[in-house]
Structures are given as structure tokens and as C-alpha cells.
Amino acid sequence: MTPRATPLPRDHFLTPLWQTPFHPRIATLSQTQQWYAWAGYQAAQVIRDAEQEYFAIRNAASLFDITPMVKYRIEGPDAEAFCDRLTVRDVTKLKAGRVQYTCWCDDEGKVLDDGTLFRFSPTEFRLCCQERHLNWLLDSAIGFEVEIAEVTEEIAGLSLQGPTSFAVLNAAGFAGLDTMKPFDIRRVAVAGLEVTISRTGFTGDLGYELFVAPGEALALWDLLVEAGCRHGITAIGYAALNLARLEAGFIVANADFVTAETAIRADRRRSPYEIGLGRLVALDKQRHFNGRRALAREAATGASRYCLVGLDIDGNVPADHALVYHRGRREVGHITAGAWSPTTKRNIAIASLERPYGDTVTDDLWVEIYAMRELAYQKLMVRARIVDRPFFVHPRRTATPPGTM
């Protein structure tokens, strides 16, 4: 008798990366076979051509698989009180049918993660983020009448972004979405599918995120692709999305800042004020929240050690991960994300600088870039100017009703 191999558990170190419910369609389209690991899933870095995929975001419609995004269901009579205790924003102001961008901290006021909080009803929430935090959430829930469960594998998600995204949904039979405002949520039935749709995204453009049960994922993909064939719909990978999010001025956990639980060195952790999220901190809300005392002290004393700024850099050589200097001599920070922006025709970047640089000292900044020139690296010292984020802004992102181009 031939011995049968015992299947390995999904968290075994020899287990290959998981595949999302949309993987059969994406793998068929992939011409590059460029994949990366996202939260234990196999995800596309580039499907056909990164530049073509980027222009689909800005000029037509793009389709990106967001299934690996970590998702938690938070439900119960104390769900609002728990979320208000957990996050820095005032959750009592979040109405049912709305989404709130937020972050949450440890007791020292250092950011554990950022993400989106969906409120479906007075007692039902969904928290979406980059890292896994189930143990932290469960420990934080002691004393609250609330149930918390990770539902990442139970929900398949697609991000549909771009100026024709509303037209695609309209052609696919999604009725009544013309009244949806940014950060609105709807639960709709279309073509036999139960879809949760939010007017959210990570591109700074008109866009939506759609969530279905895994068994309905391929039917949703096919529905959108068929409806979008006349509207330039294109499946994209993370390379294109990353450029669009940089133009929009959005930050990524463990790219633009290190999450508190994953930081090896204590000085790598950042507070909301140090990564440009100070505007979210509701020190005046009634309930206490994790890190409140530390954040109140930091706000009162101006004790923030770092700041995250947007940079406009001379030339067209991307400055990703380059060092930033004051007067070309003193090292004051580094670039966390940088690229040449095709839409704005600017060399843009997000940088983490040590205060007072980027705060009260904003002039005479330089970036050290090493550019490949005929198989040899050439050191470039180029000027950089602090500018407001986002780098890309378009009225269609918030227009209600959206355009149907």
C-alpha cells in the first residue's frame, strides 16, 4: 500500500503561500509571473506592465485583489465602546453605513497599525488593516460585551479604482450608487451575488471596494470584467497601486513607518503625530483610549521627535530610500517612498525627518541619490523642497454623483 502524505497545516513553515479566490483569473492574465507575499497570500506585483496598469488607474478603471487585507469582525452590545477605546478617533461620530480611516496605539502612544473601520449597524463593525492583531484586540476587549474574530479568509475583496469605475458598476447592474458619498457603505444584490460595496480606495481617485463570499468571487470578477470591457478595465498589481498611493500621499505600514509590535528597536516606533496622522487623534473625546495620556503629553509639550513630509525633488531620478541632508552635510532623515509621478510630472517622495527639520527648519534640504549611468553608479546631490500632500488631487474623487465617462 502506498503511504498517504499527511497534509501540512496552513501555518506550517513548508506550506506554500495561500491563493485568493481570484487567483485563477489573475494567474491566467499574468504575463510576468511577478508575485510577492502579502499577509501569507500570493499576490501580484505586476500582471502585464506596471506602467500600463498605473495609467488604467488614472485614465480608465483598474481591478486589484485586496483579499489578503486583514479583516476583523467586531460585534456585540459594546462594539462601539470597544472600538472607541481601541482607536484614536471618536467612533461615536461614525454613523452606520460609513467608513472611518483611523489608527490605534499601544500605551506609550506608538502606532500599532492604521486601517479602516466599517460600521454596518450600531453593534456591527469590521476593522481592516495591514498586520494581524487578534491577540491585542482580544486583550483589549476584556470587560466589554463584544465578540471579535478574524474573517480574512471568509471575505474576498476587489478594489475597483479609476475615472470609469462608476460607469463599470453601472453597466454591471449596480443600481443606486450615484448617491454614494466617499466613505459610504452599501449592501446590494446584483446578478445573484450579495455584495458589500464601499466608496473607498488607496489611489486618491474615484473608486470603490467590493466584498463577497469566497464562493462568489469569480462570478463577481467576471461580472466586472465583462461590464468594464468598454471602459478600459485592467487588472493591476501592487507596483501600479503603490505609485498611485504615493501620488495620493497615503502611507503604508512597515514601509513609511514601523508598527510598534514589529519594531525591533524601540526608537523605530512612531506616534500618530510623527507619521502625519495627528489630525486623527481625538484627545477631546469622552472615552479613554489606548495611548491617550502619552499622546496628550506629546501634543502639549511638542515632544515629537520626527515628522513625515512630502518632498518635491529636482530631476527625474526616483529617490526611493535615499538619505536626506540639510545644507548637503548634516543627515536629517530618509525617503520612505519615492518615484517619478507620470501624472504630475514631478519627482515626488515621502520622507521621515528628525525634528526640527521638516517642522521649523524647512529650507536647504538635499537628497543623495545613486543613479546607474552606463553600468556605473553616479552620486547625485539634488535639491528637495517640502510640499503639501497629496501630490495628486482630482475633483472626481469626491464628486457626487460621479462621472460616467
Side-chain angles (χ1 to χ4, degrees), residues 283-328:
L283 293 174
D284 59 345
K285 69 177 179 178
Q286 292 184 353
R287 289 190 181 93
H288 178 74
F289 60 91
N290 292 351
R292 181 175 189 166
R293 293 187 183 91
L295 292 173
R297 185 167 55 250
E298 182 177 344
T301 62
S304 302
R305 296 181 56 198
Y306 303 92
C307 59
L308 206 67
V309 300
L311 292 181
D312 192 338
I313 302 170
D314 285 352
N316 61 3
V317 180
D320 201 21
H321 299 111
L323 295 178
V324 182
Y325 293 85
H326 183 244
R327 296 181 177 174

Side-chain angles (χ1 to χ4, degrees), residues 76-98:
D78 292 341
E80 180 189 277
F82 167 73
C83 291
D84 203 38
R85 171 70 169 79
L86 175 74
T87 66
V88 301
R89 294 192 70 174
D90 190 343
V91 179
T92 65
K93 296 180 179 179
L94 179 62
K95 298 179 180 179
R98 295 283 291 170

Side-chain angles (χ1 to χ4, degrees), residues 136-204:
W136 179 272
L137 296 178
L138 292 175
D139 288 345
S140 300
I142 295 174
F144 291 94
E145 191 175 348
V146 63
E147 294 184 1
I148 303 171
E150 183 178 342
V151 292
T152 305
E153 296 180 50
E154 300 174 18
I155 302 170
L158 285 175
S159 180
L160 176 66
Q161 305 285 308
T164 66
S165 56
F166 174 73
V168 172
L169 292 174
N170 205 34
F174 288 83
L177 301 187
D178 55 316
T179 58
M180 281 189 73
K181 298 179 180 179
F183 297 99
D184 273 355
I185 313 168
R186 297 277 178 85
R187 282 174 165 163
V188 299
V190 58
L193 306 176
E194 298 294 329
V195 183
T196 298
I197 181 168
S198 60
R199 189 170 168 181
T200 52
F202 205 51
T203 64

Side-chain angles (χ1 to χ4, degrees), residues 117-359:
L117 183 65
F118 291 65
R119 184 167 197 169
F120 299 110
S121 73
T123 59
E124 182 187 1
F125 293 79
R126 180 187 298 163
L127 182 64
C128 300
C129 53
Q130 177 77 6
E131 303 293 325
R132 286 187 162 83
H133 301 280
L134 185 58
N135 290 339
W136 179 272
L137 296 178
L138 292 175
D139 288 345
S140 300
I142 295 174
F144 291 94
E145 191 175 348
V146 63
E147 294 184 1
I148 303 171
E150 183 178 342
V151 292
T152 305
E153 296 180 50
E154 300 174 18
I155 302 170
L158 285 175
S159 180
L160 176 66
Q161 305 285 308
T164 66
S165 56
F166 174 73
V168 172
L169 292 174
N170 205 34
F174 288 83
L177 301 187
D178 55 316
T179 58
M180 281 189 73
K181 298 179 180 179
F183 297 99
D184 273 355
I185 313 168
R186 297 277 178 85
R187 282 174 165 163
V188 299
V190 58
L193 306 176
E194 298 294 329
V195 183
T196 298
I197 181 168
S198 60
R199 189 170 168 181
T200 52
F202 205 51
T203 64
D205 216 312
L206 174 64
Y208 303 83
E209 292 176 329
L210 299 92
F211 303 93
V212 293
E216 298 181 337
L218 294 183
L220 175 63
W221 179 284
D222 294 341
L223 177 66
L224 294 176
V225 170
E226 182 178 357
C229 64
R230 296 183 179 180
H231 301 284
I233 195 167
T234 301
I236 69 167
Y238 182 71
L241 179 69
N242 192 44
L243 176 52
R245 73 90 184 174
L246 173 58
E247 291 180 332
F250 296 147
I251 60 176
V252 176
N254 289 320
D256 299 294
F257 70 96
V258 179
T259 55
E261 281 193 312
T262 60
I264 298 175
R265 299 182 181 183
D267 65 349
R268 297 295 191 265
R269 301 174 303 160
R270 298 288 186 266
S271 75
Y273 298 111
E274 295 174 325
I275 59 173
L277 300 184
R279 68 188 187 281
L280 304 182
V281 181
L283 293 174
D284 59 345
K285 69 177 179 178
Q286 292 184 353
R287 289 190 181 93
H288 178 74
F289 60 91
N290 292 351
R292 181 175 189 166
R293 293 187 183 91
L295 292 173
R297 185 167 55 250
E298 182 177 344
T301 62
S304 302
R305 296 181 56 198
Y306 303 92
C307 59
L308 206 67
V309 300
L311 292 181
D312 192 338
I313 302 170
D314 285 352
N316 61 3
V317 180
D320 201 21
H321 299 111
L323 295 178
V324 182
Y325 293 85
H326 183 244
R327 296 181 177 174
R329 295 188 299 273
R330 179 183 177 88
E331 182 182 327
V332 298
H334 67 281
I335 305 292
T336 62
W340 171 258
S341 165
T343 299
T344 65
K345 301 297 186 292
R346 297 159 65 190
N347 195 10
I348 61 174
I350 296 174
S352 177
L353 304 182
E354 298 179 36
R355 294 177 186 265
Y357 303 100
D359 182 15

